[in-house]
Amino acid sequence: NNFVNYHHRDGLPESLPDDNIKTICETKNGNIWLGHPEGGLSIIRAADIAGTIAGTPRFSHISSAYANIGTELCSREVSKIFQDRFDNIWIGYLNGGIDLIGHGHRLFNIVGKYGGDSGLKDAIYSAVPLHDNQQRLWLGSTGRLMLYHQGNVLETHDITGTGKIHCIYETGDGKLLVGHEKGLTEYD
């Protein structure tokens, strides 16, 4: 067993954009997405990083102004990445807002970008899709749960004394377990 570290290297654009990584998500097609709180997104195929001992794997980067997708991401301050069961990729940001990157023929096809106008002004620290066909999301910020659907916040629930909500889990009977800085909260 070996530990291999990857770092930002000046003059090497395919290295990490910065060394701080906030979130990791492996998508169904084998890509590994890394979210940086100051450097946007990095993407690498799992096969390219596995077993790399010598040399540096080639990371692709996406920041707030990524020309290949013809639009901008909400921010460079990525806090959460996950893929839903419909193969869409959701990206939450420390300064508020989310991006929805829809599955399709192109690697990037942003079909939704939601910020302050949709009620998402808080930093997004956690997200979980509901187990239905409506693509609704529960989002967690500092002391607040939000139910989000089609560009709008449908419900907001303040949970006092929790601090940052780090994770949300939906149980088989539809209850939410919310992990945060001060423990665990159950919501039904």
Side-chain angles (χ1 to χ4, degrees), residues 7-152:
H7 301 281
H8 170 74
R9 294 186 182 171
D10 290 335
L12 192 60
E14 61 272 2
S15 71
L16 293 173
D18 83 55
D19 290 336
N20 192 356
I21 297 172
K22 184 78 173 170
T23 183
I24 300 172
C25 174
E26 183 174 4
T27 56
K28 294 173 188 170
N29 65 1
N31 288 332
I32 297 175
W33 292 57
L34 306 172
H36 306 272
E38 296 177 7
L41 296 167
S42 298
I43 303 170
I44 188 166
R45 292 180 334 131
D48 291 343
I49 199 169
T52 302
I53 301 296
T56 301
R58 299 176 62 101
F59 292 92
S60 299
H61 306 295
I62 307 166
S63 62
S64 59
Y66 187 69
N68 292 350
I69 54 177
T71 190
E72 291 186 0
L73 298 177
C74 281
S75 170
R76 293 172 47 99
E77 300 176 351
V78 176
S79 63
K80 182 68 178 174
I81 306 167
F82 74 95
Q83 185 174 33
D84 65 23
R85 66 185 179 131
F86 303 103
D87 295 337
N88 299 309
I89 297 170
W90 296 85
I91 304 163
Y93 298 96
L94 290 171
N95 59 351
I98 59 173
D99 279 316
L100 164 63
I101 299 177
H103 68 284
H105 299 291
R106 293 172 33 194
L107 179 58
F108 302 103
N109 180 24
I110 294 183
V111 296
K113 179 164 105 176
Y114 311 109
D117 293 342
S118 62
L120 290 175
K121 298 178 175 116
D122 296 345
I124 305 300
Y125 298 110
S126 57
V128 65
L130 292 178
H131 298 289
D132 61 19
N133 291 324
Q134 298 180 37
Q135 292 190 338
R136 296 182 298 164
L137 296 174
W138 279 105
L139 303 172
S141 64
T142 301
R144 181 173 293 154
L145 275 177
M146 297 166 281
L147 181 60
Y148 181 82
H149 179 60
Q150 294 183 343
N152 294 299

